[in-house]
Amino acid sequence: GGRVLPLLLAYVCYLLLGATVFQLLERQAEAQSRDKFQIEKLRFLENYTCLDQWALEQFVQVIMEAWVKGVNPKGNSTNPSNWDFGSSFFFAGTVVTTIGYGNLAPSTEAGQIFCVFYALVGIPLNVVFLNHLGTGLRAHLATLERWEDQPRRSQLPSQILQLLGLALFLTLGTLVILIFPPMAFSHVEGWSFGEGFYFAFITLSTIGFGDYVVGTDPSKHYIAVYRSLAAIWILLGLSWLALILSLGPLLLHRCSQLWLFSR
Amino acid sequence: GGRVLPLLLAYVCYLLLGATVFQLLERQAEAQSRDKFQIEKLRFLENYTCLDQWALEQFVQVIMEAWVKGVNPKGNSTNPSNWDFGSSFFFAGTVVTTIGYGNLAPSTEAGQIFCVFYALVGIPLNVVFLNHLGTGLRAHLATLERWEDQPRRSQLPSQILQLLGLALFLTLGTLVILIFPPMAFSHVEGWSFGEGFYFAFITLSTIGFGDYVVGTDPSKHYIAVYRSLAAIWILLGLSWLALILSLGPLLLHRCSQLWLFSR
Ligand SMILES: [K+]
Ligand SMILES: [K+]
């Protein structure tokens, strides 16, 4: 119990640090965007003289209400529905993984009630499933399994080789999960690689801001399997992360052992 | 390894079920909102004859760009900044807890890079902190601690009393976390109680769609400590959830024991 207070202090300080830096980095950009928007509003009022300030604000209100209700205000009524089956499936996936992008969210009372019960069962099911996937991935790390049985201090060079092999495997896996898919997403969505990587990180950490979501630009025509591929990437990525998190302590232990022996 | 396939099947079926039900519940409401928006757009075009379809679409585009960049298009430039210190602090909290409402998200490249590293350290720190909080809460469940030491089969009535006491304690705690704060939030934000409860569930499950977020309505004047109280509620709620999840198996075990003895 005596360690709670320092931890609380560290936690609060970390949040304060974050608040300061985020504010420092974002406030100026926000002010610029805001000024730009005010200028465009004024220009609109100048160009269309039948409009007054009040009418414009009314229209902004209408657009924002549509947006909040999940209607994309851009384009016409022939836009594909946000709740077609593929999107609905993707939405169900963001609920059970707790990513919750929020670009789609239930707006009806029935939908919200169902969502609560769906998440109550779905989140534990997802945890069990991802753990099984992670265990499956781990079972293929035969090198690691063999290693556990070996008596200590034997065959030091071969142990180093195995550790290197494992490190290579983990690095390759991370590349496959965190580098190539973001590259593909950036290419399709027209993002920079940095934005693609940011999207990948925010997704696999299950933060899921929803500022970048693949397959949601209504002006783009995606190939049919694009969203499904993204969903498979998310599942593999999350179980890979679970694997790395479960292997982490073991790897650190092995490395420190090797370091001790080699002295 | 042989249990992965049935689990995969169950998982996919659960997602398909969710996709079907969500689509069923939401599609009609979406169509209604969409029709309503189209009508309001047409009415606007009729009332302000200097406007054409193209001009309107341009304006929608401008508003949506402002929204995506984090500018609230409603009201004038005297709106408080989204990145004032309180909001920035709240944002840092949604990153480390992985709730990630997304009503605020870094829009600059520097902000996004910092966010990745901030989350890399913050998420583990948050897990450690919440576990400590949960352990602290658990330490106060003195009844449970005493119970662990008792020899089996002794004092059956007193065990039942203790179990009842514990159940009462957990129920009261859940009420305090899941009923009263949603009531308060609903009152302040003008939500129904259902919406408040939905917000509480989506927050504490760390899904965090961001469709309902406390303290973000620019037309409302919140008291100074409102956002801080919400943050404390989130922390207590998350650690309470961690406690319940850690106690769950133990409680089930005790109940089944009591049931066996009482036969
Ligand atoms: K989330
Ligand atoms: K989220």
Side-chain angles (χ1 to χ4, degrees):
Chain A
R3 266 198 298 167
V4 168
L5 204 71
L7 195 59
L8 176 68
L9 218 73
Y11 186 74
V12 170
C13 284
Y14 193 72
L15 288 182
L16 288 173
L17 168 80
T20 314
V21 176
F22 281 120
Q23 190 181 29
L24 218 75
L25 293 175
E26 291 298 323
R27 202 165 195 175
Q28 203 181 358
E30 187 205 18
Q32 277 173 6
S33 299
R34 189 182 284 218
D35 289 348
K36 196 178 149 231
F37 177 64
Q38 292 298 332
I39 290 170
E40 299 204 57
K41 233 167 154 179
L42 286 178
R43 189 180 302 156
F44 204 78
L45 281 174
E46 275 170 24
N47 286 350
Y48 300 94
T49 44
C50 68
L51 282 174
D52 51 13
Q53 185 80 34
W54 184 85
L56 211 63
E57 290 300 329
Q58 282 299 104
F59 191 60
V60 169
Q61 179 77 26
V62 166
I63 292 175
M64 293 323 293
E65 267 168 25
W67 178 258
V68 165
K69 289 255 168 85
V71 177
N72 187 344
K74 277 188 261 181
N76 49 34
S77 52
T78 60
N79 276 350
S81 167
N82 284 328
W83 290 98
D84 61 18
F85 195 78
S87 305
S88 197
F89 187 83
F90 195 76
F91 170 74
T94 71
V95 171
V96 299
T97 55
T98 76
I99 293 174
Y101 288 121
N103 62 320
L104 282 183
S107 63
T108 64
E109 203 176 355
Q112 293 175 354
I113 293 169
F114 178 71
C115 188
V116 167
F117 287 102
Y118 190 73
L120 269 181
V121 178
I123 295 173
L125 176 66
N126 181 62
V127 169
V128 169
F129 177 66
L130 286 183
N131 280 343
H132 256 80
L133 254 185
T135 315
L137 285 175
R138 190 173 170 171
H140 286 286
L141 296 175
T143 44
L144 193 82
E145 306 301 295
R146 254 186 293 139
W147 200 10
E148 306 257 26
D149 303 331
Q150 280 177 9
R152 286 188 179 190
R153 287 167 191 270
S154 73
Q155 300 153 304
L156 196 59
S158 106
Q159 279 200 0
I160 292 178
L161 273 182
Q162 283 177 346
L163 192 69
L164 280 176
L166 192 67
L168 191 74
F169 181 86
L170 291 179
T171 312
L172 281 179
T174 306
L175 276 178
V176 167
I177 295 288
L178 266 184
I179 306 291
F180 296 129
M183 279 170 74
F185 293 139
S186 304
H187 178 73
V188 174
E189 306 286 342
W191 299 335
S192 71
F193 175 72
E195 288 176 312
F197 183 81
Y198 169 72
F199 160 74
F201 180 85
I202 293 298
T203 296
L204 295 184
S205 62
T206 76
I207 293 175
F209 288 131
D211 49 353
Y212 294 84
V213 185
V214 291
T216 56
D217 190 338
S219 64
K220 281 199 164 60
H221 290 282
Y222 298 102
I223 55 168
V225 290
Y226 182 64
R227 248 168 284 205
S228 315
L229 284 178
I232 291 171
W233 164 73
I234 290 176
L235 285 185
L236 285 180
L238 288 178
S239 47
W240 182 258
L241 228 86
L243 170 78
I244 297 239
L245 286 179
S246 75
L247 278 183
L250 183 69
L251 274 179
L252 279 179
H253 179 66
R254 292 288 173 180
C255 286
S256 64
Q257 261 188 346
L258 276 180
W259 183 73
L260 281 175
F261 293 160
S262 64
R263 288 208 309 183
Chain B
R3 266 198 298 166
V4 167
L5 204 71
L7 194 62
L8 176 68
L9 218 72
Y11 185 73
V12 171
C13 284
Y14 193 73
L15 288 181
L16 288 173
L17 168 82
T20 314
V21 175
F22 280 119
Q23 190 181 29
L24 218 75
L25 293 174
E26 292 297 324
R27 200 165 196 176
Q28 205 181 357
E30 188 205 20
Q32 277 174 7
S33 299
R34 188 183 284 218
D35 289 348
K36 195 178 148 230
F37 177 63
Q38 291 299 331
I39 290 170
E40 298 205 60
K41 231 166 155 180
L42 286 178
R43 190 181 301 152
F44 203 78
L45 281 175
E46 275 169 25
N47 286 350
Y48 300 94
T49 44
C50 67
L51 282 176
D52 52 12
Q53 185 79 34
W54 184 84
L56 211 63
E57 290 301 329
Q58 283 298 103
F59 190 59
V60 169
Q61 180 76 26
V62 166
I63 292 175
M64 294 323 294
E65 266 168 25
W67 178 258
V68 165
K69 288 257 169 85
V71 178
N72 187 345
K74 278 189 260 183
N76 50 35
S77 55
T78 61
N79 276 350
S81 167
N82 284 329
W83 289 99
D84 60 19
F85 195 78
S87 304
S88 197
F89 187 82
F90 194 76
F91 170 76
T94 72
V95 171
V96 299
T97 56
T98 75
I99 293 174
Y101 290 121
N103 63 320
L104 282 183
S107 63
T108 64
E109 201 175 356
Q112 294 176 353
I113 292 169
F114 178 71
C115 187
V116 167
F117 288 102
Y118 190 72
L120 268 181
V121 178
I123 295 173
L125 177 65
N126 181 62
V127 169
V128 169
F129 177 67
L130 286 184
N131 280 343
H132 256 79
L133 255 185
T135 315
L137 285 175
R138 190 174 171 170
H140 287 284
L141 295 176
T143 44
L144 193 82
E145 306 301 295
R146 254 186 294 140
W147 203 8
E148 305 256 30
D149 302 333
Q150 280 176 10
R152 286 191 182 189
R153 284 163 193 273
S154 72
Q155 302 153 303
L156 196 59
S158 107
Q159 277 201 358
I160 291 177
L161 272 181
Q162 283 179 344
L163 192 67
L164 280 177
L166 191 66
L168 190 74
F169 180 85
L170 291 180
T171 312
L172 280 179
T174 306
L175 275 178
V176 168
I177 295 288
L178 267 184
I179 306 292
F180 296 129
M183 280 170 74
F185 293 138
S186 304
H187 177 74
V188 174
E189 305 286 342
W191 299 334
S192 71
F193 174 73
E195 288 176 314
F197 183 81
Y198 169 74
F199 160 75
F201 180 85
I202 293 298
T203 297
L204 295 184
S205 62
T206 74
I207 293 176
F209 287 131
D211 47 353
Y212 296 84
V213 185
V214 291
T216 55
D217 189 340
S219 65
K220 282 200 162 61
H221 290 282
Y222 299 103
I223 55 168
V225 290
Y226 182 65
R227 247 168 284 206
S228 315
L229 285 178
I232 291 171
W233 164 73
I234 289 176
L235 284 185
L236 284 180
L238 287 177
S239 47
W240 183 257
L241 228 86
L243 171 76
I244 297 239
L245 286 179
S246 76
L247 278 182
L250 184 69
L251 275 179
L252 279 179
H253 179 67
R254 292 289 173 181
C255 285
S256 64
Q257 261 187 347
L258 277 179
W259 183 73
L260 281 174
F261 294 159
S262 65
R263 288 207 310 182

